[in-house]
């Protein structure tokens, strides 16, 4: 059971890692929105980024258990890192597009 779940861990890292990354960028650099113009975006980014980070840490703990039981450790690391990098890159664009779509929807409402 645990071995089957370990195959989706890199995708979870990519999905929630990219969401955490974008939320941190929006909060720290204030690029995509001004807090005064979008009062709900800042708390949303705080909550979504924090939850994404917690999910990534929890999955990392589960991944450590899978890694210990893995026989081919180097291959496991190489495969996981490559899938995570590709997933992170793709999901960053998906989250950015979703952010723009929701932002435009709320502005037009």
């Amino acid at each position: 059971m645990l071995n089957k779940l370990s195959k989706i861990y890199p995708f979870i890292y990519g999905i929630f890692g990219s969401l955490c990354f974008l939320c941190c960028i929006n909060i720290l650099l204030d690029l995509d929105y001004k807090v005064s113009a979008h009062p709900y975006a800042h708390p949303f980014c705080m909550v979504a980024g924090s939850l994404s980070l917690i999910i990534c840490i929890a999955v990392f703990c589960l991944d450590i258990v899978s890694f210990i039981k893995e026989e081919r450790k180097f291959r496991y690391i190489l495969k996981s890192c490559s899938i995570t990098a590709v997933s992170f890159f793709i999901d960053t664009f998906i989250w950015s597009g979703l952010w723009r779509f929701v932002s435009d929807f709320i502005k037009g409402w």
Side-chain angles (χ1 to χ4, degrees):
M1 174 76 177
L2 193 59
N3 194 17
K4 290 180 183 178
L5 287 177
S6 66
K7 295 182 189 306
I8 64 167
Y9 292 156
F11 295 107
I12 293 173
Y13 291 143
I15 292 167
F16 291 105
S18 62
L19 179 61
C20 181
F21 174 74
L22 287 175
C23 286
C24 288
I25 293 295
N26 282 338
I27 289 170
L28 297 176
L29 297 181
D30 200 27
L31 292 176
D32 209 14
Y33 66 92
K34 299 294 179 208
V35 176
S36 59
H38 304 283
Y40 297 116
H42 187 75
F44 171 79
C45 280
M46 292 287 290
V47 171
S50 298
L51 288 175
S52 296
L53 181 62
I54 290 169
I55 289 170
C56 283
I57 291 171
V59 170
F60 182 72
C61 292
L62 293 173
D63 200 11
I64 292 294
V65 173
S66 297
F67 178 73
I68 291 171
K69 295 178 181 180
E70 187 67 34
E71 293 176 9
R72 299 178 186 161
K73 294 185 185 328
F74 182 72
R75 185 176 178 188
Y76 182 81
I77 290 173
L78 191 63
K79 187 172 91 172
S80 292
C81 288
S82 61
I83 292 172
T84 299
V86 170
S87 178
F88 183 89
F89 182 74
I90 292 170
D91 291 330
T92 301
F93 287 109
I94 292 172
W95 285 120
S96 295
L98 187 61
W99 178 268
R100 297 242 188 263
F101 175 75
V102 170
S103 178
D104 293 341
F105 179 75
I106 290 173
K107 287 177 188 175
W109 199 21

